[in-house]
Amino acid sequence: MASISNALSLKHGLSLWCPQSTPVNRISQPSSVSSTSFRRRFSVSASSFANENREFVIVGGGNAAGYAARTFVEHGMADGKLCIVSKEAYAPYERPALTKGYLFPLEKKPARLPGFHTCVGSGGERQTPEWYKEKGIEMLHEYPVADIDIEKQTLRTNSGKLLKYGSLIIATGCTASRFPDKIGGHLPGVHYVRDVADANSLISSLEKAKKVVVVGGGYIGMEVAAAAVAWNVDTTIIFPEDHLMTRLFTPSLAQKYEQLYQDFGVKFVKGASIKNLEAGSDGRVVGVKLEDGSIIEADTVVVGIGAKPAVGPFENVGLNKTVGGIQVDGLFRTSIPGIFAIGDVAAFPLKVFGETVEIGNFDPKVATFWIDSGKLNGVLLESGSPEEFQLLPKLARSQPSIDKAKLQKASSVEEALEIAQASLGVKATV
C-alpha cells in the first residue's frame, strides 16, 4: 500500500458564523465568556481553597475546559479563584488529536502528550500541568462528578468530595455512541475512541491488525481510516449515507475526499446498514455482517457513529430535547443563573446555510466557502498553512461581503483566500 506520510495526514480548519436566533444544533468549540455576566451571589477568598469553596468551577478535561481556562487567565479571573474538576488523569488536551496523529505508528512520529495540551490547536500556548500551577488554577484529576445540588451550589464527586461553587461551567463534552451488546458492540477488538486510554487500546490492536473495518463516514471514520492506512492495514469504511460527511460536505467535495482515500487503497461500502458484529471461536470480532447478509472480514472494528452529550448528573440544568445537550443561549448561559455550558455538551444556536464555492483538488489544498446573501459565512480549509488557518475565524466573525464570481474564478486556494482576506479591507498576506 502506498505511503501515507503526506496525503492522508489531513489538517482541517473550519470556521462558521453562529447566529443566536437560528434553530439549535451542535458545536464543539468553546467561546469566550463575558466576565460581566459570570458572577453569582456566592464569593470566596482568592487566596486558598482550604474551606472547599471555589468561586469558579469548570467540570471537564477536554478542549472546552482548556480554552475556558485560558479565557479566565486573560481576564485576570483565574489565580486563586478557578478550579477544574476532571475525570481525566491529564491536564486538558486537544481531544481531536486522538484520532489523528496519536494513532500513527512510531516511525510516523505520532503525537503524544504533552505535545497536544490545549491550546496548541489554535496556535496558542501549550497549557501543561505546570501552566495551571503557575496561573494559580486548582486541578482535581480523576474526580468524576456524581451529583449536583443546584440550590446549595454544591458538587459531589464519586469519592464523596463536596465542592461549593459560585459560578459553574459544564464542559463535560460527549461520550461515543456505541453499538448495543446484543449485536456485538462489546466484543474484544471493537473500539470506540474518546480518551487517551481508548486510543492506546486501539493502537495495540492496530499493531497486529490485518483487516480493519471503520463504521461511520464522519470525521472519526475518516481520521481513523487514515491512521489504519499508515499501519499498512487493509481498510474498509462502511456508512449508510451515499457519501462522506453528509452533514457538512457537498457531494462534489465528498467525492474528492473519497477518491483521495481510494488512491491509498481504502475501500468504501456506502448505503449499508449493519446487522451485527460477528465473533470467532475465541470471542473476538471477526467480521461485520450487513443487513443484506454479506460479511466483511475484520479483526479490528472501529465504531465512529457519532456521540452523545455527556450530560451525566446535570440533566436538571435543562436539556434540549432535540439534540440532547444542555440548552444554552448565545452567551452559553443555561436556564439556571450562574451555570454555563460550553463545548460538545452544550446545545448552541448554529446553522450552516448558503451557497458553496469549492476551490482546489488536494493539490495539496482544498477549500469550501459558504456564501449567503453576498456575505461570506464560513470556510472549510484542508491542509492550509498556520497563517491561513488563523484567517478563518476572522472571516467567520466579520462575515464580509464578497464577490462570488471573482471567488469562483480563483485558480488556487491561495488566491481564493487572498480574495477573502481582501474583503476584510486588510492587505492579503497569506
Side-chain angles (χ1 to χ4, degrees):
M1 186 171 287
S3 171
I4 195 175
S5 58
N6 292 315
L8 281 186
S9 183
L10 303 176
K11 296 188 296 180
H12 314 285
L14 171 64
S15 289
L16 300 166
W17 176 54
C18 301
Q20 297 181 17
S21 59
T22 56
V24 171
N25 207 317
R26 300 291 317 288
I27 64 168
S28 59
Q29 292 299 322
S31 176
S32 299
V33 282
S34 169
S35 60
T36 59
S37 63
F38 231 112
R39 299 186 181 275
R40 201 175 176 185
R41 62 181 182 274
F42 184 72
S43 61
V44 298
S45 168
S47 61
S48 73
F49 296 120
N51 60 358
E52 301 303 327
N53 292 336
R54 279 84 176 163
E55 187 167 355
F56 305 112
V57 172
I58 299 173
V59 179
N63 286 37
Y67 281 84
R70 180 177 71 174
T71 300
F72 272 93
V73 170
E74 291 172 347
H75 287 81
M77 299 166 64
D79 192 359
K81 301 178 182 180
L82 177 62
C83 172
I84 298 178
V85 186
S86 172
K87 66 179 182 180
E88 297 271 1
Y90 310 93
Y93 57 87
E94 305 275 356
R95 202 175 297 276
L98 296 179
T99 51
K100 294 185 175 73
Y102 195 89
L103 295 179
F104 280 25
L106 291 178
E107 63 267 24
K108 301 294 183 182
K109 298 181 180 180
R112 290 292 182 267
L113 289 172
F116 56 94
H117 282 299
T118 55
C119 299
V120 295
S122 63
E125 184 176 3
R126 182 180 291 109
Q127 297 169 192
T128 62
E130 292 73 24
W131 182 90
Y132 290 91
K133 185 176 181 179
E134 292 171 359
K135 304 302 181 183
I137 300 172
E138 182 187 26
M139 298 293 298
L140 297 179
H141 293 296
E142 298 180 280
Y143 271 89
V145 173
D147 194 21
I148 178 174
D149 187 322
I150 293 175
E151 184 63 30
K152 294 182 179 179
Q153 297 171 229
T154 301
L155 302 173
R156 179 177 61 83
T157 69
N158 279 0
S159 64
K161 186 179 184 66
L162 297 178
L163 303 170
K164 195 168 181 65
Y165 62 84
S167 291
L168 174 66
I169 304 172
I170 303 167
T172 47
C174 283
T175 58
S177 297
R178 304 175 68 90
F179 280 157
D181 289 353
K182 65 181 180 181
I183 68 167
H186 66 299
L187 294 175
V190 178
H191 296 269
Y192 309 84
V193 182
R194 186 59 193 170
D195 56 29
V196 171
D198 293 337
N200 287 340
S201 177
L202 176 54
I203 290 170
S204 295
S205 288
L206 289 172
E207 289 174 342
K208 50 185 178 290
K210 297 268 194 281
K211 294 185 176 182
V212 171
V213 168
V214 179
V215 181
Y219 271 127
I220 300 297
M222 292 174 66
E223 292 163 356
V224 171
V229 172
W231 288 89
N232 293 318
V233 176
D234 182 283
T235 305
T236 301
I237 305 178
I238 303 173
F239 49 88
E241 299 84 10
D242 57 7
H243 65 76
L244 288 170
M245 294 284 290
T246 53
R247 288 186 293 178
L248 181 62
F249 287 0
T250 62
S252 60
L253 179 60
Q255 195 278 329
K256 293 177 182 178
Y257 275 91
E258 290 169 11
Q259 186 60 57
L260 175 66
Y261 275 63
Q262 289 169 338
D263 289 345
F264 282 87
V266 177
K267 297 180 285 292
F268 289 96
V269 180
K270 306 176 189 179
S273 297
I274 292 173
K275 185 174 183 179
N276 63 272
L277 306 182
E278 298 280 295
S281 58
D282 61 355
R284 289 186 59 85
V285 69
V286 294
V288 178
K289 187 173 185 178
L290 305 182
E291 285 289 352
D292 64 7
S294 61
I295 296 177
I296 301 174
E297 294 182 356
D299 50 42
T300 299
V301 175
V302 186
V303 181
I305 55 174
K308 299 178 181 179
V311 175
F314 301 109
E315 287 188 7
N316 291 339
V317 172
L319 301 184
N320 177 282
K321 295 181 180 179
T322 301
V323 297
I326 297 174
Q327 182 66 61
V328 298
D329 64 11
L331 293 176
F332 299 96
R333 297 175 296 196
T334 70
S335 60
I336 309 296
I339 300 182
F340 302 77
I342 60 175
D344 283 345
V345 75
F348 183 83
L350 173 64
K351 184 180 180 182
V352 179
F353 54 87
E355 302 174 89
T356 59
V357 175
E358 297 173 11
I359 305 293
N361 191 28
F362 289 106
D363 46 6
K365 302 176 184 179
V366 64
T368 299
F369 299 81
W370 279 269
I371 301 173
D372 184 70
S373 300
K375 291 188 175 182
L376 183 62
N377 285 56
V379 183
L380 170 68
L381 173 63
E382 181 67 70
S383 302
S385 68
E387 294 76 17
E388 289 168 342
F389 284 132
Q390 290 172 10
L391 172 64
L392 303 191
K394 297 177 184 177
L395 294 170
R397 285 193 298 267
S398 299
Q399 305 167 63
S401 297
I402 193 163
D403 187 332
K404 177 184 172 183
K406 187 176 181 181
L407 191 64
Q408 290 174 320
K409 294 178 182 178
S411 60
S412 66
V413 171
E414 290 83 357
E415 183 181 350
L417 289 173
E418 288 176 355
I419 294 170
Q421 185 164 5
S423 69
L424 293 172
V426 180
K427 183 179 179 180
T429 58
V430 296

